[in-house]
Every structure is written in structure tokens, then in C-alpha cells.
Amino acid sequence: MALILNLETATTNCSVSLSNGDGIIVLKENNASSYSHSEQLHVFIEEVMKEASFSFSDIDAVAISKGPGSYTGLRIGVSAAKGLCFSLDVPLISVPTLQSMAFQLDINDDEVIIPVLDARRMEVYSAVYNSNHIKIRETKAEIVNENSFAEYAIKTKAHIVGSGAEKCKEFLKHPNFNFNTVIVPSSKEMALISYKKFQKGLFEDVAYFEPYYLKDFILQNKKTN
């Protein structure tokens, strides 16, 4: 077994879990529109370790949700994960944010899961996973229109999940589309993925690892009167 601290900050959900193997010991998270990961994350980390009755020296690895997602949220999470890895001298594991979302759904063998995160305007970050939660189409930043994901809906049930699902509902009318707007990335689903990566020794270079932004960050200046 391996004691892994899992951190999820890619969206509005600030989520921290401590897992042993693929099982969750303690989970702390808060999904709020007025989120402040810079204030909550380290508090949650301390609370999780205290509630689990483990010390930081017991941790075998730190896992971080690597994106895509919020630029600021990803930076906060990765900075915290790197700091812990350096101070504790443990490996860093990265978990694709959309993959952990896919793990929240169990579907029939011939169906697909399409996690979508809102990327402003009519754009979403998306990927496609099969019933075994294996990615069958690469991650993209794409503008939603009436033809989006059509190649999947004409063949099978396509489950569109995440913050971008509401945006997709405006355009995607095929009866094979099923929408779930409630699902958000969580450190709970990271546990199984991070443990499998730990077993295989799939670690990141702590010094050089960067989040998967997918798009360049654009600073939008507020208009002044």
C-alpha cells in the first residue's frame, strides 16, 4: 500500500484526500462559486492529516490534478504539491483532471463519457473516455456547436459531464446525449489513478513539472471609466 495525499484545485472545487492504496481515508472539499483555494487548500491539508492521525512524514507521495482547468487554481495546487514533495522528499504524481471526472460515472460497455469543463465564451475543455475510463480521444479546447461530439451520439449513449455540460445542452439535441452538470473534479476519484501510477513508478520531475493549461493564459484588463 501507499499513503498518498491527493490535491484537486483545477476548478471551483477545492478538494484534498488522503488515500491508502486505492481507498480514501479522509476527504475534505468545498465547491463554491466564491472559492479561494489560496485560503482553503493548506487548511484542508492540515485537517486531513490530523483527522487521519498521520504525520506528514508518513506520506509516500503527493498527487496533483494537472489540468486543464483554471489557470490560478492549477498554479496554487501545483505550487503546494511541489512544496510538499521538496520538503518531504517524496515523488510527485500528476492526474489528468478530465480523467478523474470520468471515473465518477459507471456506464454500459458500449457508451462513452465526455467530461467538459467551461473554458469561457462557447469553448470547453473536453476529452472522450470509454466504459473502462480509458481515453479514446485526445484532450482539446474546442468551441461548442451543433456538430460537437456528433460522431459518438449517432453510435451510442454519450454522457456529457461537468461545468461545460450546460453550455453543450444549448446545441446538442440528439437523444443519445445525456447531460450531468453536477459532476466536478474531486480528489476522491484521484486515489485509484494516483495509486496505479505509484505502483508503476510514473512520477513527475518536481523541479520542472508544469500544469496542463491547454491554452495560453490571457490577462483581461478591466475597463476603466
Side-chain angles (χ1 to χ4, degrees):
M1 292 295 183
L3 199 66
I4 302 176
L5 185 67
N6 304 281
L7 310 180
E8 169 57 71
T9 61
T11 64
T12 54
N13 192 31
C14 185
S15 181
V16 177
S17 67
L18 187 68
S19 58
N20 193 6
D22 59 1
I24 296 292
I25 301 172
V26 179
L27 170 69
K28 294 279 185 182
E29 58 185 2
N30 181 36
N31 182 34
S33 57
S34 58
Y35 68 99
S36 179
H37 295 339
S38 60
E39 297 175 3
Q40 290 187 325
L41 181 59
H42 290 282
V43 173
F44 282 3
I45 292 171
E46 293 284 350
E47 290 178 349
V48 162
M49 297 304 297
K50 183 176 181 180
E51 189 172 328
S53 299
F54 282 102
S55 66
F56 284 96
S57 60
D58 296 319
I59 293 175
D60 294 303
V62 177
I64 183 65
S65 178
K66 73 175 186 177
S70 159
Y71 180 92
T72 303
L74 290 170
R75 293 300 299 175
I76 291 170
V78 168
S79 295
K82 283 187 172 186
L84 287 165
C85 289
F86 275 124
S87 62
L88 301 174
D89 192 24
V90 296
L92 174 66
I93 300 169
S94 70
V95 174
T97 304
L98 298 178
Q99 184 183 23
S100 70
M101 292 173 65
F103 266 85
Q104 295 189 42
L105 215 60
D106 290 321
I107 59 173
N108 294 327
D109 288 344
D110 61 338
E111 299 175 353
V112 296
I113 305 169
I114 307 175
V116 288
L117 290 177
D118 194 341
R120 296 184 180 180
R121 297 185 178 87
M122 290 313 300
E123 198 170 21
V124 297
Y125 300 127
S126 69
V128 182
Y129 294 83
N130 65 17
S131 59
N132 294 316
H133 307 110
I134 296 171
K135 187 162 64 173
I136 58 175
R137 198 220 69 187
E138 74 277 15
T139 303
K140 295 180 181 179
E142 56 189 312
I143 296 173
V144 180
N145 59 49
E146 61 274 9
N147 297 315
S148 298
F149 315 118
E151 65 269 36
Y152 303 102
I154 61 175
K155 297 177 182 178
T156 184
K157 192 76 143 181
H159 301 269
I160 298 182
V161 303
S163 61
E166 193 67 45
K167 186 180 293 184
C168 292
K169 285 173 70 174
E170 297 179 31
F171 293 92
L172 309 184
K173 303 302 181 181
H174 196 286
N176 275 345
F177 283 121
N178 180 58
F179 300 93
N180 184 320
T181 61
V182 177
I183 285 178
V184 294
S186 171
S187 64
K188 181 180 179 181
E189 283 71 33
M190 290 176 63
L192 177 59
I193 304 170
S194 61
Y195 180 52
K196 286 183 176 180
K197 283 197 164 187
F198 182 89
Q199 289 179 306
K200 295 177 181 178
L202 299 177
F203 305 133
E204 302 291 347
D205 186 314
V206 178
Y208 294 101
F209 176 75
E210 289 291 333
Y212 180 42
Y213 296 121
L214 193 57
K215 291 197 307 181
D216 291 334
F217 176 65
I218 301 173
L219 180 63
Q220 296 181 335
N221 293 320
K222 293 183 179 179
K223 292 182 179 180
T224 55
N225 295 328

